[in-house]
Amino acid sequence: MSGVRGPDQVERLVAMLARLPGMGRRSARRAALKLLQDPGGLMLPLSEQLRETAESVRPCRVCGNIDTQDPCRICTDPSREQDILCVTEGVADLWALERAHVHRGLYHILGGVLSALSGVGPEDLRIGALVERIAAGEIQEVILALPATVDGATTAHYLTDRLRAAAPHLAVTRLAQGVPMGGALDVMDDGTLAAALKARRPA
Amino acid sequence: MSGVRGPDQVERLVAMLARLPGMGRRSARRAALKLLQDPGGLMLPLSEQLRETAESVRPCRVCGNIDTQDPCRICTDPSREQDILCVTEGVADLWALERAHVHRGLYHILGGVLSALSGVGPEDLRIGALVERIAAGEIQEVILALPATVDGATTAHYLTDRLRAAAPHLAVTRLAQGVPMGGALDVMDDGTLAAALKARRPA
Ligand SMILES: [Zn+2]
Ligand SMILES: [Zn+2]
């Protein structure tokens, strides 16, 4: 009935906002109220930006990055080192590395890591596409910038074997220890990322 | 340039999300990424809901509540006590009281409290409209459910004088002490709100 939990339209908005990472029910309600207090100020512009971004952004067919162009601006940037490829679990990790300005080469996003528990196998990740890029011959080094978890390590081992089989002279490296166990790359500070990348070692 | 901070469309979205209460730059980025990973799942529906809510919701001309109808569903609900009026600072407080199911009468939202520091005077609040509602004669009691702050107390004093002058036989009450000093109504648990309302005393 009536205003008990706020009108339906507002409740529906609160429920959607509460699904965003970091938002609880209470903060979603506060966010909805702030939006409602000045619909023209942020609410309608945010609606428009969500639509515009959803419609203009897509995954890069080469690396899996998200951009308004495909292939993405990293893949098509001739000033980047074309012979060194950094493999990450997701887009968030690529963005974290870009913010840290520590990698001037290209990327390849797996879209996850191998996980027996979650039933994620090699065919669920962009591994075939990675092997194809390596087989093309231009890449000299692949940096495995994967999470310092058991699944991340399993994935790194698996990729090392696959890549060595496809290109025996390829250098396959990992981020140095320095990335704390269980740590996600995208919440690490730039210094830690830079040190780990600089001290990378053969896989 | 390029992907350094994510593409522009994404950065604009992150900047807008970061303006929501409770969201920082980092959580806004995580939210944007989650949205981008499945645009049809939450991103476009959220865009649509924001637009729809913004267009369908407006302030109630009587009480100041936000609803899809004007006058709102509380003001037009004949089952509510028509002779008791609860005055709150904002819509969030009304919603908090409704969630606690402790007030079965009507509401009047001031849209703020008096504040010498912020330059908020009586003419900036919906006080004239409140006095008019009281002057109509049906209201027997006004409950001042204002924040337990200096400005809240100042506003309660001011309203008590104004309301007594307009309707000498009107009961003007305040929430009982029990609302902690400096506490905002909308973050209080239902029990505290219920106790404070039940033990309300003459102003
Ligand atoms: Zn790309
Ligand atoms: Zn109303």
Side-chain angles (χ1 to χ4, degrees), chain B residues 181-193:
Chain B
M181 279 305 293
L185 285 188
D186 64 333
V187 298
M188 233 156 280
D189 65 286
D190 295 355
T192 306
L193 279 173

Side-chain angles (χ1 to χ4, degrees), chain A residues 7-181:
Chain A
D8 304 343
Q9 289 283 356
V10 178
E11 273 311 301
R12 260 179 261 149
L13 177 60
V14 169
M16 283 192 187
L17 289 171
R19 287 170 59 195
L20 294 176
M23 277 268 187
R25 187 97 195 149
R26 178 162 284 171
S27 47
R29 207 149 48 210
R30 277 194 300 139
L33 266 170
K34 177 174 166 163
L35 290 167
L36 284 163
Q37 266 147 30
D38 177 18
L42 179 57
M43 193 167 187
L44 290 172
L46 177 58
S47 165
E48 188 52 30
Q49 188 64 54
L50 283 162
R51 197 186 53 71
E52 213 175 281
T53 307
E55 286 170 358
S56 65
V57 160
R58 73 214 71 198
C60 169
R61 79 190 75 179
V62 179
C63 73
N65 185 21
I66 289 171
D67 201 351
T68 46
Q69 59 177 73
D70 175 19
C72 76
R73 279 173 286 185
I74 294 177
C75 285
T76 53
D77 181 352
S79 77
R80 300 196 67 120
E81 297 166 25
Q82 303 293 313
D83 56 356
I84 180 162
L85 191 69
C86 185
V87 174
T88 66
E89 178 181 12
V91 175
D93 305 318
L94 182 158
W95 289 3
L97 288 160
E98 286 297 290
R99 282 197 302 278
H101 298 287
V102 288
H103 174 59
R104 291 293 306 149
L106 304 174
Y107 288 96
H108 193 87
I109 292 169
L110 290 180
V113 286
L114 297 174
S115 168
L117 208 66
S118 310
V120 179
E123 67 291 344
D124 300 314
L125 305 176
R126 300 179 66 254
I127 292 177
L130 173 61
V131 172
E132 275 175 42
R133 287 180 81 179
I134 299 310
E138 204 178 350
I139 307 294
Q140 301 301 313
E141 179 181 356
V142 169
I143 304 169
L144 302 175
L146 296 173
T149 59
V150 171
D151 285 344
T154 303
T155 309
H157 278 295
Y158 177 85
L159 287 179
T160 303
D161 291 346
R162 285 284 301 267
L163 294 172
R164 288 227 172 100
H169 301 296
L170 180 74
V172 182
T173 58
R174 301 194 207 176
L175 295 189
Q177 293 298 335
V179 180
M181 278 306 293

Side-chain angles (χ1 to χ4, degrees), chain B residues 20-103:
Chain B
L20 295 176
M23 277 268 187
R25 187 98 195 149
R26 178 162 284 173
S27 47
R29 206 149 47 208
R30 276 195 302 139
L33 265 170
K34 178 176 165 162
L35 291 167
L36 283 164
Q37 267 148 29
D38 177 19
L42 179 55
M43 194 169 188
L44 289 172
L46 177 58
S47 165
E48 187 52 29
Q49 189 64 54
L50 283 162
R51 197 187 53 72
E52 214 175 280
T53 307
E55 285 171 359
S56 65
V57 159
R58 72 214 73 198
C60 170
R61 78 190 76 176
V62 179
C63 73
N65 185 21
I66 289 172
D67 201 350
T68 45
Q69 58 177 74
D70 175 20
C72 76
R73 279 173 284 185
I74 294 177
C75 285
T76 54
D77 180 352
S79 77
R80 299 196 67 119
E81 296 168 26
Q82 302 293 313
D83 56 356
I84 179 163
L85 191 70
C86 185
V87 174
T88 66
E89 179 182 11
V91 174
D93 305 319
L94 182 159
W95 289 4
L97 287 160
E98 285 296 290
R99 282 196 303 277
H101 298 287
V102 289
H103 174 60

